[in-house]
């Protein structure tokens, strides 16, 4: 399971590195590639050996401890100056030569079986001092610290709290607690109470370095105190043969965490939605959508009055120009790509607001992203929005505004008005005939009445009253229908503007950030 887990993490890290190419800091990508190379090389070498390195500063007793574990005086101890100029290896069991060659350790000693557990496969290294005055010695120590499976840091009571040790060496190993052992050497120089206090303080410092899982032991290479416990720990690591994989997993997780941190957090869905709404609002204003919506309402009112108003006065409404015709929006939408509106250009204020909204959208969507990704997204959107004004005008021209739609009730009311007008006209003719007969003093036929009112008079008065009432009610109904038609037009126009926003702003940003999402997700998988 551990090897499968390592393989999955390596695959995810490779994906993250590939997605971050050219966008993440070059130094971070170089570190990730170095980890991948070390992982591939170490995995291909002996899985039967566990490489343990003793690292420490000058005078910490590292070489003396090395001799105590090896049960042989192989390393030459030094007190005030570094004496280990090159790494020294002691090996239990055969087959470690290719591994040591990769580690570039040429000074090797093959030991007999260990007395305690007779462990085969243990490789113990004595590294040059990490604080050596020789730059080459420090470089060798730092290179091997990156490659060994299990790291034993040897400190002494005088310098265990040294800031350089913790900041330069231990803190960079944060997350590697499972493969780090911190040994407080020379505890024979302390009283039991002082040793307990020093170990407690050392454990606190190590935990603050991000190595809470690291084991902290107190030993004395001189008296042998604690050496058996350290022996048992190393023997156990060699028997289990898990340290190599654990170290590689920790390395992959460490660099993957740095990549995930560099990618930043995903922008919350709520923030993304709000940013798009603000963008569409600004583009609506720049496209003249409020003007078009008002024109739709005015045009619907005008046409409703022309269709359902009182016939003797409805011609007056036809003298007013259709608002949609004035804007060039009464054409069909079969070929919107060939259409242009007559909308006036957006005011400088609205145009500036639209450009600010585009920048704010890009800023929101790239919040926390690496600077190179932000710049790439801005550049891509700048290129895609070069013809934004024309695209918005085409979107408005291509939106179905129901400019020619005639509701059924318009026809019904128009028929009723014609009937009422016919009754009115008949009444007027009837009254005219009666007036002519009376003027010529000719006998007139008897005029029927209703409750004392002559029918011709009722027809005229009723025609006028009913026609005006129907026209007034129709005007109110037409206004309500115009508002509904304007609301539908507003929704359709917003959808059209939204498609422009998606095509020229949202999609380019999403395409640019898709690699960032891939990088972030893969890094989280590798670091998980």
């Amino acid at each position: 399971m551990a090897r499968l887990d390592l393989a999955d993490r390596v695959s995810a890290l490779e994906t993250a590195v590939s997605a971050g190419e050219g966008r993440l800091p070059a130094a971070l990508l170089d570190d990730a590639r170095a980890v991948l190379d070390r992982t591939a090389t170490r995995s291909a070498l002996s899985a039967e050996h566990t490489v343990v390195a003793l690292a420490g500063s000058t005078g910490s007793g590292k070489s003396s401890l090395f001799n105590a574990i090896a049960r042989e005086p192989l390393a030459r101890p030094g007190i005030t100056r570094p004496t280990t100029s090159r790494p020294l290896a002691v090996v239990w069991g055969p087959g470690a030569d290719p591994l040591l060659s990769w580690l570039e350790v040429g000074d090797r000693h093959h030991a007999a079986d260990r007395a305690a557990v007779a462990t085969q496969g243990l490789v113990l290294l004595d590294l040059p001092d990490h604080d050596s005055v020789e730059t080459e010695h420090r470089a060798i120590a730092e290179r091997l610290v990156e490659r060994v499976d299990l790291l034993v840091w040897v400190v002494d009571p005088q310098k265990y709290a040294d800031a350089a040790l913790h900041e330069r060496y231990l803190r960079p190993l944060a997350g590697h607690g499972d493969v780090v052992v911190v040994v407080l050497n020379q505890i024979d120089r302390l009283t039991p109470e002082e040793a307990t206090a020093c170990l407690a303080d050392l454990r606190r410092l190590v935990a603050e370095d991000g190595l809470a899982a690291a084991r902290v032991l107190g030993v004395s290479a001189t008296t042998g105190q604690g050496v058996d416990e350290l022996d048992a720990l190393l023997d156990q690591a060699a028997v289990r043969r898990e340290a190599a994989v654990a170290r590689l997993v920790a390395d992959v997780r460490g660099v993957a965490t740095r990549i995930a941190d560099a990618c930043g957090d995903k922008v919350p869905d709520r923030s993304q939605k709000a940013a798009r709404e603000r963008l569409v609002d600004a583009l609506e204003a720049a496209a003249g959508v409020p003007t078009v919506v008002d024109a739709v309402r005015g045009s619907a009112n005008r046409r409703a009055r022309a269709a359902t108003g009182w016939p003797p006065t409805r011609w007056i409404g036809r003298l007013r120009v259709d608002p949609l015709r004035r804007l060039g929006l009464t054409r069909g939408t079969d070929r919107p790509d060939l259409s242009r509106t007559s909308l006036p250009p957006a005011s400088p204020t609205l145009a500036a607001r639209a450009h600010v909204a585009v920048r704010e959208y890009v800023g929101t969507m790239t919040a926390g992203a690496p600077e190179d990704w932000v710049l790439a997204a801005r550049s891509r959107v700048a290129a895609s929005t070069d013809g934004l004004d024309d695209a918005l005008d085409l979107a408005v021209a291509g939106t179905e505004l129901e400019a020619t739609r005639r509701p059924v009730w318009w026809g019904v009311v128009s028929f009723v008005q014609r009937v009422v007008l016919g009754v009115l006209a008949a009444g007027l003719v009837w009254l005219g005939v009666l007036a002519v007969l009376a003027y010529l003093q000719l006998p007139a036929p008897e005029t029927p009445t209703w409750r004392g009112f002559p029918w011709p008079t009722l027809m005229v008065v009723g025609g006028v009253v009913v026609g005006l009432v129907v026209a007034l009610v129709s005007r109110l109904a037409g206004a309500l229908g115009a508002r509904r038609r304007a609301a539908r037009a507003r929704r359709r126009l917003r959808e059209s503007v939204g498609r422009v926003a998606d095509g020229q702003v949202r999609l380019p940003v999403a395409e640019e950030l898709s690699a960032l999402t891939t990088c972030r997700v893969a890094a989280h998988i590798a670091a998980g």
Side-chain angles (χ1 to χ4, degrees):
M1 288 299 293
R3 290 189 180 279
L4 290 175
D5 181 62
L6 175 60
D8 292 340
R9 292 178 190 275
V10 167
S11 177
L13 181 58
E14 288 173 342
T15 300
V17 170
S18 176
E21 188 68 44
R23 295 288 185 266
L24 291 175
L28 176 56
L29 292 176
D30 289 343
D31 288 347
R33 294 190 191 97
V35 168
L36 290 171
D37 289 343
R38 286 201 306 270
T39 300
T41 303
R42 180 65 183 92
S43 298
L45 293 170
S46 174
E48 304 300 317
H49 291 85
T50 299
V51 181
V52 180
L54 299 184
S57 61
T58 304
S60 63
K62 170 174 54 68
S63 295
S64 297
L65 184 60
F66 178 85
N67 291 337
I69 297 172
R71 304 298 195 270
E72 295 183 58
L74 301 175
R76 184 163 62 89
I79 299 175
T80 59
R81 61 185 180 86
T83 57
T84 307
S85 60
R86 58 183 182 178
L88 170 64
V90 60
V91 184
W92 285 269
D97 288 341
L99 181 57
L100 289 170
S101 296
W102 173 64
L103 294 172
E104 299 179 28
V105 177
D107 197 350
R108 311 167 188 178
H109 178 78
H110 291 271
D113 290 344
R114 292 165 61 80
V117 184
T119 299
Q120 297 292 310
L122 179 64
V123 178
L124 184 66
L125 303 183
D126 182 21
L127 304 188
D129 300 332
H130 68 74
D131 60 351
S132 174
V133 295
E134 296 291 337
T135 303
E136 182 183 359
H137 297 177
R138 293 199 305 271
I140 292 172
E142 290 172 2
R143 174 176 56 79
L144 288 171
V145 162
E146 290 182 343
R147 295 189 177 190
V148 298
D149 304 329
L150 183 63
L151 199 55
V152 178
W153 279 98
V154 182
V155 298
D156 60 81
Q158 289 76 35
K159 293 191 290 186
Y160 75 86
D162 182 58
L165 166 68
H166 292 274
E167 292 176 5
R168 185 171 180 182
Y169 294 99
L170 293 184
R171 275 178 203 166
L173 289 170
H176 290 66
D178 290 338
V179 291
V180 172
V181 179
V182 182
V183 172
L184 179 62
N185 195 15
Q186 304 173 8
I187 62 168
D188 56 303
R189 299 182 179 182
L190 305 174
T191 65
E193 293 76 13
E194 291 173 336
T196 300
C198 284
L199 285 171
D201 192 39
L202 180 57
R203 289 189 179 95
R204 177 186 62 79
L205 292 173
V206 169
E208 291 176 355
D209 291 333
L211 296 168
R215 286 144 294 185
V216 178
L217 305 177
V219 304
S220 171
T222 302
T223 66
Q225 181 182 350
V227 174
D228 288 342
E229 183 180 358
L230 180 58
D231 268 346
L233 189 152
L234 301 183
D235 286 333
Q236 186 180 46
V239 169
R240 290 183 176 179
R241 297 186 175 92
E242 296 176 350
V245 174
R247 172 61 194 266
L248 297 176
V249 167
D251 287 348
V252 170
R253 291 183 65 188
V255 74
T257 298
R258 292 168 57 198
I259 291 177
D261 291 342
C263 288
D265 295 328
K266 176 180 179 293
V267 178
D269 291 340
R270 180 179 298 179
S271 298
Q272 294 186 35
K273 184 177 180 181
R276 182 183 183 275
E277 291 299 310
R278 291 192 297 270
L279 174 64
V280 175
D281 288 343
L283 295 185
E284 270 189 336
V289 168
T291 301
V292 175
V293 171
D294 289 341
V296 170
R297 184 185 298 108
S299 176
N301 268 320
R302 176 185 176 279
R303 297 182 65 243
R305 292 172 187 176
T308 64
W310 197 37
T313 60
R314 67 173 59 170
W315 62 272
I316 298 175
R318 294 193 179 96
L319 297 178
R320 292 190 291 268
V321 179
D322 188 329
L324 284 179
R325 185 177 297 279
R326 184 185 298 115
L327 298 178
L329 293 172
T330 55
R331 299 184 294 269
T333 59
D334 293 338
R335 290 294 305 277
D337 57 309
L338 301 179
S339 302
R340 287 293 188 274
T341 71
S342 299
L343 283 164
S347 69
T349 301
L350 292 178
R353 181 187 167 196
H355 289 296
V356 168
V358 170
R359 288 197 299 270
E360 288 181 345
Y361 178 82
V362 176
T364 298
M365 297 303 296
T366 58
E371 185 63 22
D372 285 343
W373 250 302
V374 176
L375 294 176
R378 289 176 182 170
S379 176
R380 189 159 184 171
V381 169
S384 67
T385 55
D386 187 45
L388 183 59
D389 294 341
D390 288 341
L392 290 173
D393 193 70
L394 284 171
V396 172
T399 301
E400 174 56 57
L401 301 177
E402 302 180 3
T404 60
R405 179 175 173 270
R406 291 178 58 87
V408 175
W409 70 270
W410 286 8
V412 174
V413 172
S414 181
F415 174 76
V416 171
Q417 288 284 42
R418 287 196 295 271
V419 171
V420 171
L421 182 62
V423 172
L424 170 61
L428 288 174
V429 170
W430 195 343
L431 288 175
V433 170
L434 292 177
V436 170
L437 291 175
Y439 178 77
L440 297 176
Q441 296 183 355
L442 296 175
E446 183 178 358
T447 302
T449 62
W450 181 75
R451 293 187 178 184
F453 295 99
W455 269 101
T457 303
L458 288 175
M459 291 170 67
V460 172
V461 174
V464 172
V465 172
V466 172
L468 292 175
V469 169
V470 171
L472 179 61
V473 173
S474 297
R475 171 174 289 200
L476 295 175
L480 180 61
R483 285 196 294 271
R484 287 199 298 265
R485 185 176 294 188
R488 290 195 296 271
R490 173 66 186 271
R491 288 194 298 271
R492 291 170 181 167
L493 286 167
R494 187 172 181 85
E495 290 172 358
S496 297
V497 171
R499 285 192 288 271
V500 173
D502 289 342
Q504 297 205 340
V505 181
R506 184 165 173 254
L507 183 59
V509 173
E511 288 176 346
E512 185 60 42
L513 296 185
S514 64
L516 174 60
T517 301
T518 299
C519 184
R520 181 190 296 117
V521 171
H524 279 295
I525 291 174

